Amino acid sequence: MSENCIFCKIVAGTIPVKRVYEDEVVLAFPDIAPQAPVHVLVIPKRHMASLAALTEADRGEMGHWLERLSHVARLLGVDEAGYRTIINTNAHGGQEVFHLHGHILGGRPMGPMVAR
Ligand code: AMP
């Protein structure tokens, strides 16, 4: 747990969210400002600042995280039509919350990959 990390507070239950999926390693919950009909965040419970902070030691946990992200997309019913997965990293990536998270966006065609 990292002090003053909003997603660590969500993991701890200090900030209540709808827990879409949870196990010992990951937690999924709706984005507070949805950008699509379906917009859910999937995070590792352990504080990791960003994708840029990963090391070889994180391979097992990150494999679990990605497989569960796929599972959550199935739970949400967006897997067949498809969805966009976004991981924003640091300043140029537009990262706002510095606790690693993957966005699942779906429920409509998501359009071009990046703004032109
Ligand atoms: P980013 O760091 O840019 O990948 O995105 C951070 C995301 O976290 C944004 O889409 C926010 O809307 C979302 N967010 C921030 N605070 C909360 C919260 N308390 N509950 C759910 N989502 C949040």
Side-chain angles (χ1 to χ4, degrees), residues 6-7 10 29-33 41 88 94-97 101 103:
I6 194 162
F7 287 178
I10 286 173
F29 55 92
D31 195 291
I32 202 167
L41 303 176
N88 294 321
Q95 187 173 2
E96 292 173 0
V97 176
H101 53 281
H103 297 252

Side-chain angles (χ1 to χ4, degrees), residues 17-30:
V17 292
K18 179 181 178 211
R19 293 181 176 239
V20 173
Y21 175 83
E22 178 173 24
D23 64 20
E24 68 283 4
V25 177
V26 306
L27 173 65
F29 55 92

Side-chain angles (χ1 to χ4, degrees), residues 35-55:
Q35 305 292 312
V38 174
H39 189 173
V40 165
L41 303 176
V42 186
I43 70 170
K45 286 185 166 176
R46 187 166 70 88
H47 184 82
M48 312 167 94
S50 79
L51 199 64
L54 298 193
T55 70

